[in-house]
Amino acid sequence: MFRTFSKRAGLLAAATVSALALASCSQGASGDGGSGDSDTIRVGFSQLGAESGWRTANTESVKASLTEDAGFDLTFVDAQQKQENQIKALRDFIDQDVDVIAFSPVIETGWDEVLQDIKDSGIPVVLVDRTVTTTVEDPYVTWIGADFRLEGEMAGEWVAENHPDAKIFQLQGTLGSGAQVDREEGFEAAVGADAIIGEATGNFTRAEGKVAVEAALQAYPDMDMIFAHNDDMGLGAVEAIEAAGLTPGEDIKIVTVDAVRDGLQALKDGKFNYVVECNPVFGDQLAELIKQVVAEEDVPLETVVVDKTFDQSITQEELDARLY
Ligand code: AHR
């Protein structure tokens, strides 16, 4: 599906458009708002946090691609996994009249008001990584990220095929995030809801993943499999399982999503059993999309980053070649 978004059209649609605004729009969507080189694209990027190895790699990829040399003036704000921080950053970007607002929403809901305000300002939105559920019509021009549902499904299919009788504890990501909701849906569709004997969130962090599994070991003594929505929480689970005198990967099998280097090392060491990739290195594709949006070219509504899967046959060579 293709769709165009014009900053000028957005402004014209806004009821409060002024003659002055129209004059400045006639310079084109890549106008610099009055500061510096008019070819420079001013991007406000609200990253949701720094909660995981995946997030760190994604931030590095975005910063490495949206550089001055590549024609960008990037304002990067880390929201520390708090939606209110993201909303504040988005409002600041409106005030700064950036050319494009990009953001990775920490959860799916609660964006209606700010998305409407951005729309009224005429600034195009590029959604990164996670998704939103909103009543605002056409809230973003384009989205780039992974198919979280498919990731959950791939993890579940491996479990259903290799450990059909597993008693599974699900270590969920941040509740209400696209990554949690969709991975859970895909996984449950593959293994069947009855296979999951318990679940709790670890908020995508190693520390909270460990705490959740410490409690699960007490509450669900029968569990013999953990599906962690990311590697970091899976690594927290390893710590909790070892501290309880059990062997991760054997007594309790672990399936995760992300495939960051630490996760794949755990797989090679036999502590994880299966890992579904979620590739965070898409800064170059994001930069290209932003350029197209500013040039008012047609862009795909969705760009899905392709993921692979890994089992314990992973080689040292594959591990060494890992970028993140
Ligand atoms: O939204 C992507 C997810 O967010 C990654 O799987 C996880 O590690 C991160 O925190």
Side-chain angles (χ1 to χ4, degrees), residues 169 211-223 240 243-244 246 252:
F169 176 74
V211 171
V213 172
E214 281 166 354
L217 286 164
Q218 301 298 319
Y220 309 104
D222 286 354
M223 77 169 167
L246 298 169
I252 298 181

Side-chain angles (χ1 to χ4, degrees), residues 45-312:
F45 185 96
S46 166
Q47 178 60 288
L48 67 86
E51 73 284 3
S52 61
W54 188 97
R55 190 66 51 197
T56 305
N58 181 246
T59 292
E60 280 168 10
S61 173
V62 168
K63 286 185 174 171
S65 299
L66 301 188
T67 60
E68 260 181 62
D69 283 352
F72 295 96
D73 174 4
L74 173 67
T75 304
F76 180 94
V77 183
D78 174 348
Q80 299 176 330
Q81 280 191 294
K82 293 197 174 79
Q83 185 177 37
E84 62 266 32
N85 291 350
Q86 285 205 283
I87 291 175
K88 185 184 176 312
L90 298 179
R91 293 202 177 289
D92 288 346
F93 296 153
I94 298 175
D95 291 345
Q96 291 158 18
D97 192 26
V98 295
D99 296 314
V100 172
I101 291 178
F103 81 111
S104 180
V106 62
I107 54 172
E108 291 195 309
T109 55
W111 306 101
D112 293 356
E113 210 176 305
V114 71
L115 281 174
Q116 188 60 55
D117 290 346
I118 297 174
K119 194 171 178 183
D120 292 345
S121 79
I123 300 172
V125 171
V126 173
L127 215 53
V128 179
D129 164 37
R130 295 189 187 167
T131 42
V132 291
T133 302
T134 176
T135 54
V136 176
E137 218 177 299
D138 297 331
Y140 56 90
V141 197
T142 186
W143 164 83
I144 180 167
D147 184 339
F148 297 138
R149 194 186 189 284
L150 180 64
E151 290 170 349
E153 216 174 272
M154 289 194 285
E157 278 165 6
W158 183 86
V159 173
E161 201 178 315
N162 294 279
H163 301 280
D165 299 323
K167 296 178 186 62
I168 306 164
F169 176 74
Q170 182 162 225
L171 195 41
Q172 302 158 298
T174 305
L175 295 178
S177 67
Q180 176 261 321
V181 173
D182 294 352
R183 283 176 188 161
E184 192 161 319
E185 198 184 288
F187 184 77
E188 288 185 15
V191 299
D194 289 351
I196 300 167
I197 61 168
E199 60 192 16
T201 182
N203 204 22
F204 283 124
T205 70
R206 194 176 296 207
E208 287 173 78
K210 182 179 177 196
V211 171
V213 172
E214 281 166 354
L217 286 164
Q218 301 298 319
Y220 309 104
D222 286 354
M223 77 169 167
D224 55 14
M225 164 87 66
I226 290 175
F227 171 48
H229 288 184
N230 80 345
D231 285 342
D232 286 78
M233 294 190 299
L235 291 165
V238 166
E239 287 177 30
I241 292 166
E242 286 176 340
L246 298 169
T247 307
E250 288 180 21
D251 297 324
I252 298 181
K253 306 207 167 20
I254 302 178
V255 174
T256 68
V257 183
D258 272 0
V260 297
R261 194 188 293 267
D262 286 356
L264 292 185
Q265 183 65 58
L267 184 67
K268 186 149 194 334
D269 294 343
K271 296 180 178 190
F272 283 2
N273 301 77
Y274 192 66
V275 177
V276 177
E277 182 181 48
C278 181
N279 189 342
V281 184
F282 52 77
D284 284 352
Q285 284 166 278
L286 175 65
E288 196 46 44
L289 282 170
I290 291 175
K291 282 185 175 166
Q292 288 175 298
V293 167
V294 170
E296 299 185 10
E297 291 171 12
D298 281 358
V299 286
L301 186 58
E302 297 183 348
T303 303
V304 180
V305 180
V306 177
D307 296 323
K308 296 189 285 192
T309 57
F310 299 89
D311 62 21
Q312 289 180 338

